Amino acid sequence: MSSLHRIRVGLIGLSSTAVTSWAANAHLPYLLSPRGLERFQIVALCNSSVDAARAAIKHHGLDPAVVRAHGDPESLAADKDVDLVVCNTRVDRHFETIEPSVRVGKNVFCEWPLAENGVRARQLVDTAKKAGGKTVIDLQGRLAPLGAQIASLLGAEGPIGRVLSVEARSGSVVTQRDVVWKAFDYFMKREVGGNILTITFGHLFDFVQTVVGDVHSLQSHLHLQHPLVRVRDPATDKILETVQSNVPDLIISTGTIRESTFTQKGGASFLIRVRRGGIPGEPGLVWTICGEKGEIRVTSPSPSALQVGPVGEEEIRIDVHNFATNEVRKVEWNWQDWQNELPMPARNVAAVYEAFAQGQGYPTFEDALVRHEQLDEMLAGWKAPGV
């Protein structure tokens, strides 16, 4: 792809001051890599003000002669030189920052969750359909090579035969049982829309269904076991305050995986359990797919590793247990060569960009809406104790 045909990108939320920056850690490495530069060109940044955007352009070493600074979403939406708007703000700002671009028919790539609730998500889907722009949601686990490797093991003639049940259990990567880092204290506020249910559970929920098939007849058991959460300052390690959470910290979801060529007749049983915090010495995530002839077991030190990838020297393992022989064999998997050149958080996100550049295979706002509606169904009628 020549530079004349590169997709011109306008980034929302690439900051020079953020304590944590998914835009800088997961999007920028690919966009500025040799492979990314063949396909994309950053031409605009949009932040809370023009000055903030200019500061980010300087901080990240972008060329101010090429990258324009915008101070509001309407200005970015009016920029005719932007082909793709990419949103990396906090969840409760997604709607207000991308709606202007969606409304005028621009192509928009948004981080998951799409919005703070399903109602807002549907508004964005309907607006995009009417305006005609392409939409992308960063449910990046869908394009993870790990998922493709697991899926390749499924099938009636595969090593475990027809699938009977699927179970996954996970902790939460950004919070302990009753402590949260200051940068993530918004995880305790359901109205923000970014929390253990939508992000930790939501990504795992989507990843598993992408591999084994969608689930119906959902039943949920939601609990708030630790409503008072201490907020810790990462710089001093001191507790700053104690906040009241209104988000469930233990999420159990059951249902039935739709019947397919690799499930038993009538489908397979499904269970996911996610809780705030983890158990020292235990894997951050354990996922089993039990079949007639054997079982697949996926283990990861990090709860978020399925969609992001392992941290440092940590390993995500796939093991297959043969019931007849009682043997357990390790199944190898790897990233594509070009992904290995990127930092871990950027690898699956880069695959989403690649799919968009190729015009197929990327998750859309419509896909996000399906997951939002499932999560809303789970939350229906639940209220935090004392609220």
Side-chain angles (χ1 to χ4, degrees):
M1 183 179 295
S2 73
S3 61
L4 293 177
H5 296 90
R6 286 189 294 174
I7 297 167
R8 298 168 299 178
V9 174
L11 288 172
I12 304 175
L14 179 64
S15 172
S16 62
T17 60
V19 176
T20 61
S21 178
W22 186 248
N25 296 330
H27 288 252
L28 211 56
Y30 169 75
L31 291 172
L32 297 183
S33 70
R35 186 181 181 96
L37 288 170
E38 290 179 359
R39 296 157 174 76
F40 296 90
Q41 180 185 23
I42 300 173
V43 298
L45 292 192
C46 180
N47 282 20
S48 57
S49 68
V50 171
D51 285 344
R54 286 172 177 161
I57 290 169
K58 181 179 180 180
H59 178 79
H60 293 286
L62 303 177
D63 186 351
V66 174
V67 184
R68 289 176 296 285
H70 292 279
D72 63 87
E74 295 283 357
S75 173
L76 179 64
D79 191 332
K80 298 186 182 302
D81 291 328
V82 172
D83 303 315
L84 176 67
V85 170
V86 179
C87 179
N88 279 280
T89 65
R90 205 173 75 170
V91 179
D92 55 339
R93 299 178 186 130
H94 284 182
F95 185 94
E96 66 188 47
T97 54
I98 66 173
E99 193 276 339
S101 291
V102 172
R103 184 173 7 105
V104 298
K106 279 196 181 298
N107 303 325
V108 177
F109 181 165
C110 187
E111 275 298 325
W112 166 265
L114 176 56
E116 61 267 40
N117 55 56
V119 173
R120 287 272 202 159
R122 177 167 289 283
Q123 289 175 354
L124 288 171
V125 167
D126 291 344
T127 301
K129 286 181 179 178
K130 183 177 180 180
K134 297 176 182 177
T135 63
V136 189
I137 189 72
D138 200 15
L139 287 167
Q140 70 270 28
R142 293 189 175 207
L143 300 180
L146 174 72
Q149 182 62 67
I150 297 168
S152 73
L153 301 171
L154 303 180
E157 304 305 316
I160 68 169
R162 295 190 181 278
V163 173
L164 308 177
S165 65
V166 175
E167 298 182 32
R169 66 179 188 272
S170 165
S172 174
V173 70
V174 300
T175 60
Q176 300 173 29
R177 192 166 289 107
D178 59 355
V179 178
V180 62
W181 295 111
K182 176 59 180 174
F184 295 101
D185 60 355
Y186 67 87
F187 266 53
M188 303 303 112
K189 303 173 183 177
R190 179 175 165 183
E191 58 274 16
V192 171
N195 51 58
I196 182 177
L197 175 68
T198 59
I199 295 179
T200 308
F201 178 89
H203 273 296
L204 176 61
F205 192 53
D206 181 72
F207 190 102
V208 172
Q209 290 186 85
T210 298
V211 173
V212 302
D214 277 359
V215 175
H216 65 89
S217 303
L218 278 172
Q219 298 289 325
S220 62
H221 304 273
L222 307 179
H223 305 271
L224 180 52
Q225 298 179 318
H226 301 278
L228 296 179
V229 182
R230 292 171 293 160
V231 179
R232 191 188 301 276
D233 184 346
T236 64
D237 209 33
K238 292 183 179 180
I239 298 299
L240 300 175
E241 60 179 327
T242 298
V243 298
Q244 176 97 28
S245 175
N246 63 356
V247 177
D249 58 13
L250 175 62
I251 304 154
I252 301 170
S253 177
T254 63
T256 302
I257 298 166
R258 298 189 185 281
E259 182 177 336
S260 69
T261 56
F262 59 78
T263 68
Q264 66 178 339
K265 188 175 180 180
S269 66
F270 168 91
L271 184 150
I272 292 184
R273 189 207 71 184
V274 171
R275 76 175 192 180
R276 194 198 306 154
I279 301 175
E282 291 288 319
L285 182 141
V286 178
W287 173 20
T288 59
I289 305 173
C290 184
E292 298 167 319
K293 301 184 297 184
E295 184 173 83
I296 299 168
R297 187 172 190 261
V298 183
T299 54
S300 165
S302 171
S304 64
L306 293 185
Q307 72 270 10
V308 176
V311 178
E313 298 301 316
E314 295 177 347
E315 179 185 24
I316 304 177
R317 285 184 61 101
I318 306 173
D319 293 294
V320 176
H321 178 202
N322 184 307
F323 293 160
T325 65
N326 205 32
E327 293 178 340
V328 177
R329 68 178 177 91
K330 179 182 178 183
V331 176
E332 300 293 341
W333 71 277
N334 208 341
W335 304 94
Q336 296 186 57
D337 289 342
W338 64 268
Q339 287 177 304
N340 278 315
E341 298 175 1
L342 298 171
M344 197 63 70
R347 294 181 184 180
N348 285 331
V349 175
V352 179
Y353 277 106
E354 291 268 317
F356 179 77
Q358 295 164 12
Q360 59 184 354
Y362 55 88
T364 68
F365 284 11
E366 287 86 351
D367 296 316
L369 181 59
V370 171
R371 297 294 178 244
H372 271 289
E373 290 179 340
Q374 287 179 312
L375 295 178
D376 283 356
E377 179 183 349
M378 290 174 57
L379 273 171
W382 184 83
K383 292 183 65 175
V387 176

